Structures are given as C-alpha cells and as structure tokens.
Coordinates of all heavy atoms in Angstrom, one line a residue:
D1 N -8.8 -10.9 0.5 CA -8.0 -9.9 -0.2 C -8.0 -8.6 0.6 O -6.9 -7.9 0.6 CB -8.5 -9.7 -1.6 CG -7.6 -8.8 -2.4 OD1 -6.6 -9.4 -2.9 OD2 -7.9 -7.6 -2.6
K2 N -9.1 -8.2 1.2 CA -9.1 -7.0 2.0 C -8.1 -7.0 3.1 O -7.4 -6.1 3.4 CB -10.5 -6.7 2.5 CG -11.5 -6.3 1.4 CD -12.9 -6.1 1.9 CE -13.9 -5.8 0.8 NZ -15.3 -5.7 1.3
E3 N -8.1 -8.2 3.8 CA -7.2 -8.4 4.9 C -5.8 -8.4 4.4 O -4.8 -7.8 5.0 CB -7.5 -9.6 5.7 CG -6.6 -10.0 6.8 CD -6.6 -8.9 7.9 OE1 -7.6 -8.2 8.0 OE2 -5.7 -8.9 8.7
M4 N -5.6 -9.1 3.3 CA -4.2 -9.1 2.7 C -3.7 -7.7 2.4 O -2.5 -7.4 2.6 CB -4.3 -10.0 1.4 CG -3.0 -10.0 0.6 SD -2.9 -8.6 -0.6 CE -4.2 -9.0 -1.7
C5 N -4.5 -6.9 1.8 CA -4.1 -5.5 1.4 C -3.7 -4.7 2.7 O -2.8 -4.0 2.6 CB -5.3 -4.8 0.7 SG -5.5 -5.3 -1.0
R6 N -4.5 -4.9 3.7 CA -4.2 -4.2 5.0 C -2.8 -4.6 5.5 O -2.0 -3.8 5.9 CB -5.3 -4.5 6.0 CG -5.0 -3.9 7.4 CD -5.4 -2.4 7.4 NE -5.0 -1.8 8.6 CZ -5.5 -0.6 9.0 NH1 -6.4 0.1 8.3 NH2 -5.1 0.0 10.1
K7 N -2.5 -5.9 5.5 CA -1.3 -6.4 6.0 C -0.1 -5.9 5.1 O 0.9 -5.4 5.6 CB -1.3 -7.9 6.0 CG -2.1 -8.5 7.1 CD -2.1 -10.0 7.1 CE -3.0 -10.6 8.2 NZ -3.0 -12.1 8.2
I8 N -0.2 -6.0 3.8 CA 0.8 -5.5 2.9 C 1.1 -4.0 3.1 O 2.2 -3.5 3.2 CB 0.5 -5.8 1.4 CG1 0.5 -7.2 1.1 CG2 1.4 -5.0 0.5 CD1 0.1 -7.6 -0.3
S9 N 0.0 -3.3 3.3 CA 0.1 -1.8 3.5 C 0.8 -1.5 4.8 O 1.7 -0.6 4.9 CB -1.3 -1.2 3.5 OG -2.0 -1.4 2.3
E10 N 0.5 -2.3 5.8 CA 1.2 -2.0 7.1 C 2.7 -2.4 7.1 O 3.5 -1.6 7.5 CB 0.5 -2.8 8.2 CG -0.9 -2.3 8.6 CD -1.6 -3.2 9.5 OE1 -1.2 -4.4 9.7 OE2 -2.6 -2.7 10.1
Y11 N 3.0 -3.5 6.4 CA 4.4 -3.9 6.3 C 5.2 -2.8 5.4 O 6.3 -2.4 5.7 CB 4.5 -5.3 5.6 CG 4.2 -6.4 6.5 CD1 3.3 -7.4 6.2 CD2 4.9 -6.6 7.7 CE1 3.0 -8.5 7.0 CE2 4.7 -7.7 8.6 CZ 3.7 -8.6 8.2 OH 3.4 -9.7 9.0
G12 N 4.5 -2.4 4.3 CA 5.2 -1.4 3.5 C 5.4 -0.1 4.1 O 6.4 0.5 4.0
L13 N 4.4 0.3 4.9 CA 4.5 1.6 5.6 C 5.6 1.6 6.6 O 6.2 2.7 6.8 CB 3.2 1.9 6.3 CG 3.0 3.3 6.9 CD1 3.3 4.4 5.9 CD2 1.7 3.5 7.6
S14 N 5.9 0.5 7.2 CA 7.0 0.4 8.1 C 8.4 0.7 7.5 O 9.3 1.0 8.3 CB 7.0 -1.0 8.8 OG 7.6 -2.0 7.9
L15 N 8.5 0.7 6.2 CA 9.7 0.9 5.5 C 9.8 2.4 5.0 O 10.9 2.8 4.5 CB 9.9 0.0 4.3 CG 9.9 -1.5 4.6 CD1 9.9 -2.3 3.3 CD2 11.1 -1.9 5.4
L16 N 8.8 3.2 5.3 CA 8.8 4.5 4.8 C 8.8 5.5 5.9 O 8.5 5.2 7.1 CB 7.5 4.8 3.9 CG 7.3 3.8 2.7 CD1 6.0 4.1 2.0 CD2 8.5 3.8 1.8
N17 N 9.1 6.8 5.6 CA 9.1 7.9 6.6 C 8.2 9.0 6.1 O 8.0 9.2 4.9 CB 10.5 8.4 6.7 CG 11.5 7.4 7.3 OD1 11.3 6.8 8.3 ND2 12.5 7.1 6.5
D18 N 7.6 9.7 7.1 CA 6.8 10.8 6.8 C 7.6 11.8 6.0 O 8.8 12.1 6.3 CB 6.4 11.5 8.1 CG 5.4 12.6 7.9 OD1 4.7 12.7 6.9 OD2 5.3 13.5 8.8
G19 N 7.0 12.3 4.9 CA 7.7 13.3 4.0 C 8.5 12.7 2.9 O 9.1 13.4 2.0
D20 N 8.6 11.3 2.8 CA 9.3 10.7 1.7 C 8.7 11.0 0.3 O 7.5 11.2 0.2 CB 9.3 9.2 1.9 CG 10.3 8.6 2.8 OD1 11.2 9.4 3.2 OD2 10.3 7.4 3.1
G21 N 9.7 11.1 -0.6 CA 9.3 11.1 -2.0 C 9.2 9.7 -2.6 O 10.1 8.9 -2.4
I22 N 8.1 9.4 -3.3 CA 7.8 8.0 -3.7 C 7.6 8.1 -5.2 O 6.8 8.9 -5.7 CB 6.6 7.4 -3.0 CG1 6.8 7.5 -1.5 CG2 6.4 6.0 -3.5 CD1 7.9 6.7 -0.9
L23 N 8.2 7.1 -5.9 CA 7.9 6.9 -7.4 C 7.0 5.7 -7.5 O 7.3 4.6 -6.9 CB 9.2 6.7 -8.2 CG 9.0 6.5 -9.7 CD1 8.6 7.8 -10.4 CD2 10.2 5.9 -10.3
T24 N 6.0 5.8 -8.3 CA 5.1 4.6 -8.6 C 5.1 4.4 -10.1 O 5.4 5.3 -10.9 CB 3.7 4.8 -8.1 OG1 3.0 5.8 -8.9 CG2 3.7 5.2 -6.7
H25 N 4.8 3.2 -10.5 CA 4.6 2.8 -11.9 C 3.4 2.0 -12.1 O 3.2 1.1 -11.2 CB 5.9 2.1 -12.4 CG 5.9 1.9 -13.9 ND1 6.3 2.9 -14.8 CD2 5.5 0.9 -14.7 CE1 6.2 2.5 -16.0 NE2 5.8 1.2 -16.0
C26 N 2.6 2.2 -13.1 CA 1.3 1.5 -13.3 C 0.4 1.8 -12.2 O 0.4 2.9 -11.6 CB 1.5 0.0 -13.5 SG 0.1 -0.8 -14.2
N27 N -0.5 0.9 -11.9 CA -1.5 1.2 -10.8 C -1.6 -0.1 -9.9 O -1.9 -1.2 -10.4 CB -2.9 1.5 -11.3 CG -4.0 1.6 -10.3 OD1 -4.7 0.6 -10.0 ND2 -4.0 2.7 -9.6
A28 N -1.4 0.1 -8.6 CA -1.5 -1.0 -7.7 C -2.2 -0.6 -6.4 O -1.7 -0.8 -5.3 CB -0.1 -1.6 -7.4
G29 N -3.3 0.1 -6.6 CA -4.0 0.7 -5.5 C -5.3 -0.1 -5.3 O -5.5 -1.3 -5.7
A30 N -6.3 0.6 -4.7 CA -7.6 -0.1 -4.4 C -8.3 -0.5 -5.7 O -9.0 -1.5 -5.7 CB -8.5 0.9 -3.7
L31 N -8.1 0.2 -6.8 CA -8.7 -0.2 -8.1 C -8.2 -1.5 -8.6 O -8.9 -2.3 -9.3 CB -8.4 0.9 -9.1 CG -9.1 2.2 -9.0 CD1 -8.5 3.2 -10.0 CD2 -10.6 2.0 -9.2
A32 N -6.9 -1.9 -8.2 CA -6.3 -3.1 -8.7 C -6.5 -4.3 -7.7 O -6.1 -5.4 -8.0 CB -4.8 -2.9 -8.9
T33 N -7.2 -4.0 -6.6 CA -7.4 -5.0 -5.5 C -8.8 -4.9 -5.0 O -9.7 -4.8 -5.7 CB -6.3 -4.8 -4.4 OG1 -6.5 -3.5 -3.8 CG2 -4.9 -5.0 -4.9
S34 N -8.9 -5.0 -3.7 CA -10.2 -4.9 -3.0 C -10.3 -3.6 -2.1 O -11.3 -3.0 -2.0 CB -10.5 -6.1 -2.1 OG -9.4 -6.2 -1.2
S35 N -9.1 -3.2 -1.6 CA -9.0 -2.0 -0.7 C -7.6 -1.7 -0.5 O -6.7 -2.6 -0.6 CB -9.7 -2.2 0.6 OG -9.1 -3.2 1.4
Y36 N -7.2 -0.5 -0.3 CA -5.8 0.0 -0.1 C -5.0 -0.3 -1.3 O -4.3 0.6 -1.9 CB -5.2 -0.6 1.1 CG -5.8 -0.1 2.4 CD1 -6.6 -0.9 3.2 CD2 -5.5 1.2 2.8 CE1 -7.1 -0.4 4.4 CE2 -6.0 1.7 4.0 CZ -6.8 0.9 4.8 OH -7.4 1.4 5.9
G37 N -4.8 -1.6 -1.7 CA -4.0 -2.0 -2.8 C -2.7 -2.6 -2.3 O -2.5 -2.9 -1.1
T38 N -1.8 -2.8 -3.2 CA -0.4 -3.3 -2.9 C 0.6 -2.2 -3.0 O 1.0 -1.7 -2.0 CB -0.1 -4.5 -3.8 OG1 -0.2 -4.1 -5.2 CG2 -1.1 -5.7 -3.5
G39 N 1.0 -1.9 -4.2 CA 2.0 -0.8 -4.4 C 1.6 0.5 -3.8 O 2.4 1.3 -3.3
L40 N 0.3 0.9 -3.9 CA -0.2 2.1 -3.3 C -0.7 2.0 -1.9 O -0.9 3.0 -1.2 CB -1.3 2.7 -4.2 CG -1.0 3.1 -5.6 CD1 -2.2 3.8 -6.2 CD2 0.2 4.0 -5.7
G41 N -0.8 0.8 -1.4 CA -1.4 0.6 -0.1 C -0.7 1.4 1.0 O -1.4 2.0 1.9
P42 N 0.7 1.3 1.1 CA 1.3 2.1 2.2 C 1.0 3.6 2.1 O 1.0 4.3 3.2 CB 2.8 1.8 2.0 CG 2.8 0.5 1.2 CD 1.6 0.5 0.3
L43 N 0.8 4.1 0.9 CA 0.6 5.6 0.8 C -0.8 5.9 1.3 O -1.0 6.9 2.0 CB 0.7 6.0 -0.7 CG 2.1 5.6 -1.3 CD1 2.1 6.1 -2.8 CD2 3.2 6.2 -0.6
L44 N -1.8 5.1 0.9 CA -3.2 5.3 1.3 C -3.4 5.1 2.8 O -4.0 5.9 3.5 CB -4.1 4.4 0.5 CG -4.1 4.7 -1.0 CD1 -4.9 3.6 -1.8 CD2 -4.8 6.0 -1.3

C-alpha cells in the first residue's frame, strides 16, 4: 500500500501545476491509507 500510494501520488502530481487551487472532499490522505494517501497524495 505504501508503494501504491507513492505511485498514485506521482501520477496525480503529473496532472497538476505549481500554484494550482485544489478542492478536496472527505479525507483521502495518509490517515486513510499507509502513507501520502490517494486524493491528498499529490498534494503531500
């Protein structure tokens, strides 16, 4: 799961730009996984 979170975070970050405004809903970060998270992973 830790490796999975890292991969998702890297793929997600590739779609974002420095300075972007991001909306999140619920919690999908490290608390919801093992590290980094899914929805919050690219931000962390």
Side-chain angles (χ1 to χ4, degrees):
D1 188 78
K2 293 178 182 178
E3 179 62 20
M4 174 273 295
C5 286
R6 177 79 186 196
K7 289 180 178 178
I8 289 177
S9 301
E10 289 174 344
Y11 284 126
L13 186 58
S14 74
L15 298 173
L16 305 179
N17 298 300
D18 187 24
D20 274 353
I22 306 295
L23 179 75
T24 72
H25 189 81
C26 195
N27 174 261
L31 287 171
T33 59
S34 56
S35 63
Y36 289 109
T38 54
L40 294 188
L43 306 180
L44 296 170

